[in-house]
């Protein structure tokens, strides 16, 4: 969970962080997993959506996020669905493209495997073996 205090100072506001970049449609890109945390003493720090890690540098949170997301070995379907729901649209589209590529690769390899099996069966028959 995102930090609720930093160095003993309460977090009084927790918002997604403006990245300062815009997408191809010209809309500002917002990092939902990098939180902009305003502290009771007036300071601003940046925090992780998933744990209490904070930093004065917003750019240090994004690399840290990988400890939470990268292909968990054991995950429930519900947890996986929540993780996907938190992804920005751009990441979702990238994953979809990756899935399409994997599916195409799988179909190619499956066809090659079936062709190889047929050729092997033909060879076995030609050699007179049954195994
Ligand atoms: Zn974290």
């Amino acid at each position: 969970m995102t930090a609720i205090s930093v160095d003993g100072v309460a977090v009084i506001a927790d918002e997604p962080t403006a990245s300062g970049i815009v997408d191809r449609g010209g809309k500002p890109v917002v990092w939902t997993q990098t939180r902009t945390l305003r502290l009771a003493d007036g300071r601003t720090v940046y925090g992780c959506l998933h744990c209490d890690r904070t930093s004065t540098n917003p750019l240090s949170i994004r690399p840290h996020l990988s400890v939470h997301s990268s292909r968990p070995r054991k995950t429930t379907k519900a947890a996986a669905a929540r993780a996907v729901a938190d992804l920005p649209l751009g990441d979702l589209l990238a994953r979809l493209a990756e899935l399409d590529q994997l599916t195409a690769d799988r179909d190619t390899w499956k066809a090659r495997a079936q062709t190889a099996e047929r050729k092997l069966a033909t060879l076995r028959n030609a050699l007179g073996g049954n195994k």
Side-chain angles (χ1 to χ4, degrees):
M1 189 182 127
T2 306
I4 55 172
S5 70
V6 178
D7 305 330
V9 179
V11 172
I12 57 173
D14 172 356
E15 299 166 344
T17 300
S19 66
I21 56 179
V22 295
D23 67 16
R24 274 188 252 165
K27 289 197 333 189
V29 172
V30 174
W31 292 332
T32 57
Q33 297 181 90
T34 300
R35 310 302 296 180
T36 297
L37 306 175
R38 310 227 184 268
L39 306 184
D41 63 3
R43 284 185 294 153
T44 297
V45 298
Y46 302 90
C48 172
L49 176 68
H50 308 286
C51 70
D52 62 0
R53 182 189 180 100
T54 59
S55 172
T56 55
N57 179 0
L59 298 180
S60 76
I61 301 299
R62 277 179 71 77
H64 156 79
L65 291 171
S66 64
V67 305
H68 298 295
S69 63
S70 63
R71 319 229 168 165
R73 293 212 175 90
K74 287 183 180 175
T75 180
T76 64
K77 279 186 179 178
R82 277 196 303 277
V84 168
D86 282 345
L87 288 175
L89 184 58
D91 287 1
L92 282 174
L93 292 174
R95 283 194 175 197
L96 195 56
E98 189 181 347
L99 180 62
D100 284 348
Q101 184 59 49
L102 284 173
T103 303
D105 284 354
R106 183 207 61 197
D107 291 347
T108 300
W109 285 107
K110 184 177 178 181
R112 287 185 65 174
Q114 288 172 333
T115 300
E117 280 177 344
R118 280 193 298 275
K119 286 181 178 174
L120 188 57
T122 303
L123 276 174
R124 282 185 176 143
N125 285 339
L127 293 172
N130 265 341
K131 286 188 173 183

